[in-house]
Amino acid sequence: MPETALQIDLRDNVLVALAPLRAGTVVHYGHPPASASCPVTQDIPAKHKLALVDLEPGDLIRMYGMVVGEATQAIRRGGLLSTRNVRHRADPYSPARHPVSYALPDASAWRDRTFMGYHRQDGQVGTRNYWLVLPLVFCENRNVERLREALEEELGYGSAQNSYRQYVRQLVRNRTSGDGHQDQDAVAASRSDRVFPNLDGIRFLTHQGGCGGTRQDAQALCGLLAGYIHHPNVAGATVLSLGCQNAQANMLMEELRARDPRMTKPVLVFDQQKAGRESTLMSRALDETFAALEEANRAQRAPAPLSALTVGLKCGGSDGFSGISANPTLGYLSDLLGEIGGKTLLSEFPELHGVEQELINRCATDELAQRFYDLMQAYSARARAVHSGFEMNPSPGNIEDGLITDAIKSAGAARKGGVGPVRDVLDFPQYATTPGLTLLCTPGNDVECVTAQAGSGANLVLFTTGLGTPTGNPVAPVVKISTNSSLAERMGDIIDFNAGGIVTGKTTIPECAAQLLDLCIQVGSGERFTKAELLGQNDFIPWKRGVSL
């Protein structure tokens, strides 16, 4: 008889409903010879949990083999767990490691596989080839937008118009004819295609930072922007500065030099207060950027090993199936990449609350364990200082679909990191350089997290969702993975891959991970574009940790 509920770990005292369960029926779980059954005493929506034993107030709720909540009311066997009878509770943790080892997957079939990427002078390999235009301070957002309107249409990357389009049109004419007098029909025809076919796009970033906050905010912003310029998917950057802001150009260049000591990429910096008139600033920026695009267009894809991939592991709009299907699929893929020298980034520290000790035990050294402990403690203290806490992380959508405590959500979210050792621990916005799994301190916020992962070098992001979210990124392709087949059908315009077959038993986690890694190779090679890319979903929100002054 097929399973109608799932016991994730033999230590668990709750089951997950794989489909809606009616009171008076019996659920079946496990596989022979360990299969068992449990009467259902209340209607249980799909993705929600039912008690496997009688629970009294104060009893601990266990899922994934760990504490995820505490009963506040009596819950009879077969009854529904909800926010009315369960509250958040998690196991305590300390920086002391208790080293563990897990069986890792056989990655031999992937060691000789390659993708077609852009090889950079610093040894990184990009999955895309972009040029960046970004401001050091929010005062320059308008000028960045004006550059976007001028460049995108005339170079074949979008649809826009403003007074600077004619300027770029003349640059294109000069390039194609040499004398600026090319036939108008030929000019129109040249604009029907991209002027720079080997350049995947120009990405224009705007933000609300750079001044008015703490000096730490300015430093962090410059570190993040430096990470984007250093990113393997980026050929170079045009930077607009007002001149008097906290986030100075020399601060940006110091951060970039820390990531790329040889400064291998062109970075064009333009200061409005030094330029004087806006027209002077903009014409200089367009002239020099256009010339730099010519050089960036020379890049060609070439074979690269899968070890050149840095993959961000992210979940958003999570549901009660996230920790059963899509997240463990990412975990298996993360372990595969780790075995062949690739890098993966597990972030969202508020959504690791409750699994801290497990991750500490997996840290490769005592120093890494202490660093993770310190970052979690500091982040938690900042949340408490503003009268909040990690336990308030689950959203209304999470709760409605079965994630009723932060520890339940975290236990499922952490499965994106697989079971392999933690090789590095980074704070925002540090750059990832160590092969294997890295813990990167970020918020759980979808866009802030993906923004941070790309700033730390992720040249591909795998993003699981049970409820649906369109999140994308300006420089890193974001592959959206559905936890259930219903979502994949209902919101197919934003979903790239369906892991729902794991829930129904039509496929296994290893099979799903292999299919997803094949898709990563296609996306990384430019053979396929993600739905977020096709929709132009270029979300960018820097994490601001300080206060405004």
Side-chain angles (χ1 to χ4, degrees):
M1 184 172 295
E3 286 186 303
T4 50
L6 177 67
Q7 185 184 28
I8 298 173
D9 188 284
L10 292 177
R11 295 167 290 181
D12 295 355
N13 55 9
V14 298
L15 302 175
V16 181
L18 299 179
L21 305 174
R22 298 295 300 272
T25 61
V26 175
V27 296
H28 302 273
Y29 63 96
H31 299 283
S35 55
S37 61
C38 178
V40 180
T41 57
Q42 290 178 265
D43 288 348
I44 311 291
K47 309 178 186 179
H48 282 259
K49 287 74 183 170
L50 64 153
L52 191 53
V53 297
D54 288 339
L55 296 169
E56 299 298 331
D59 285 351
L60 299 179
I61 312 296
R62 293 187 179 276
M63 280 185 65
Y64 301 94
M66 61 188 66
V67 174
V68 296
E70 176 186 336
T72 58
Q73 300 176 14
I75 309 172
R76 300 278 71 85
R77 185 184 183 214
L80 173 68
L81 276 66
S82 71
T83 54
R84 293 185 296 275
N85 57 25
V86 174
R87 66 185 172 198
H88 171 80
R89 179 80 177 270
D91 280 323
Y93 64 99
S94 77
R97 279 195 311 147
H98 306 285
V100 293
S101 60
Y102 296 94
L104 293 168
D106 179 8
S108 57
W110 301 95
R111 292 189 186 279
D112 296 326
R113 294 287 300 274
T114 61
F115 71 100
M116 297 294 288
Y118 293 99
H119 292 251
R120 305 299 183 187
Q121 290 185 40
D122 60 9
Q124 297 186 101
V125 181
T127 61
R128 296 289 183 270
N129 187 32
Y130 292 123
W131 184 270
L132 285 185
V133 178
L134 56 90
L136 276 174
V137 63
F138 54 78
C139 307
E140 292 297 319
N141 282 347
R142 174 187 175 277
N143 286 334
V144 169
E145 285 299 317
R146 298 296 277 171
L147 290 175
R148 180 187 64 78
E149 293 167 2
L151 287 164
E152 280 192 335
E153 178 70 17
E154 296 303 323
L155 299 183
Y157 296 109
S159 176
Q161 81 179 42
N162 74 8
S163 59
Y164 294 106
R165 281 182 53 189
Q166 183 62 38
Y167 194 101
V168 177
R169 187 175 302 169
Q170 185 61 48
L171 291 173
V172 173
R173 287 176 180 168
N174 294 343
R175 175 183 188 269
T176 55
S177 69
D179 59 10
H181 297 288
Q182 190 177 16
D183 178 74
Q184 289 299 307
D185 290 338
V187 172
S190 72
R191 294 208 313 273
S192 67
D193 296 316
R194 289 182 177 177
V195 175
F196 301 114
N198 292 335
L199 192 68
D200 291 310
I202 307 172
R203 291 292 186 255
F204 301 83
L205 310 184
T206 58
H207 57 80
Q208 302 305 314
C211 203
T214 65
R215 294 301 189 270
Q216 291 86 349
D217 279 334
Q219 194 77 49
L221 176 64
C222 285
L224 177 70
L225 297 178
Y228 270 70
I229 296 170
H230 182 50
H231 195 282
N233 292 1
V234 172
T238 298
V239 180
L240 299 189
S241 168
L242 178 61
C244 58
Q245 71 277 349
N246 289 343
Q248 288 286 300
N250 61 357
M251 184 184 292
L252 172 68
M253 301 310 284
E254 287 171 3
E255 289 285 353
L256 183 57
R257 193 170 289 107
R259 291 157 175 78
D260 182 13
R262 295 191 295 124
M263 300 292 281
T264 55
K265 292 181 181 178
V267 182
L268 315 176
V269 181
F270 303 92
D271 186 300
Q272 185 170 4
Q273 290 171 345
K274 290 181 180 177
R277 301 182 65 84
E278 179 200 287
S279 58
T280 302
L281 172 82
M282 298 291 275
S283 59
R284 286 177 180 170
L286 287 170
D287 283 334
E288 294 188 36
T289 298
F290 194 87
L293 298 179
E294 292 266 19
E295 185 63 30
N297 187 54
R298 300 180 190 278
Q300 300 279 346
R301 289 185 182 271
L306 299 189
S307 59
L309 290 175
T310 300
V311 177
L313 308 170
K314 177 72 178 84
C315 57
S318 300
D319 70 351
F321 288 160
S322 293
I324 296 172
S325 59
N327 288 355
T329 296
L330 264 60
Y332 196 93
L333 186 149
S334 175
D335 287 335
L336 285 174
L337 281 179
E339 286 293 279
I340 59 176
K343 296 185 285 292
T344 56
L345 310 178
L346 181 63
S347 308
E348 305 175 274
F349 274 28
E351 297 178 18
L352 299 179
H353 180 43
V355 298
E356 294 97 337
Q357 194 64 55
E358 177 189 326
L359 291 169
I360 285 169
N361 294 343
R362 288 168 54 190
C363 284
T365 67
D366 290 340
E367 290 76 17
L368 291 176
Q370 184 69 54
R371 182 164 173 77
F372 176 59
Y373 175 87
D374 291 342
L375 286 170
M376 287 296 291
Q377 289 285 306
Y379 199 156
S380 179
R382 288 199 302 273
R384 292 194 302 271
V386 294
H387 309 291
S388 187
F390 289 165
E391 68 275 6
M392 299 179 71
N393 177 269
S395 70
N398 296 149
I399 294 169
E400 184 179 350
D401 267 45
L403 303 178
I404 61 173
T405 73
D406 184 52
I408 290 176
K409 184 178 180 181
S410 295
R415 300 193 80 187
K416 301 191 303 292
V419 297
V422 173
R423 297 297 186 184
D424 205 356
V425 177
L426 300 178
D427 195 7
F428 172 84
Q430 292 178 304
Y431 204 85
T433 58
T434 304
L437 178 65
T438 289
L439 303 181
L440 171 66
C441 185
T442 77
N445 177 289
D446 290 352
V447 177
E448 288 180 335
C449 178
V450 174
T451 297
Q453 289 182 333
S456 292
N459 53 13
L460 195 66
V461 175
L462 300 181
F463 192 124
T464 72
T465 182
L467 305 176
T469 169
T471 300
N473 182 262
V475 301
V478 179
V479 178
K480 216 64 60 58
I481 301 110
S482 172
T483 71
N484 62 89
S485 298
S486 174
L487 172 64
E489 295 168 2
R490 189 174 70 256
M491 300 183 73
D493 60 328
I494 66 169
I495 298 298
D496 299 288
F497 185 89
N498 178 22
I502 294 171
V503 177
T504 60
K506 293 181 179 179
T507 189
T508 66
I509 289 170
E511 290 170 344
C512 208
Q515 294 166 11
L516 181 57
L517 189 46
D518 271 325
L519 176 60
C520 289
I521 292 172
Q522 295 174 49
V523 171
S525 300
E527 297 170 10
R528 291 183 60 176
F529 288 84
T530 66
K531 300 293 179 62
E533 290 176 289
L534 296 175
L535 291 170
Q537 191 81 34
N538 298 320
D539 302 308
F540 179 80
I541 302 179
W543 183 22
K544 183 179 179 182
R545 302 169 86 169
V547 297
S548 291
L549 296 175

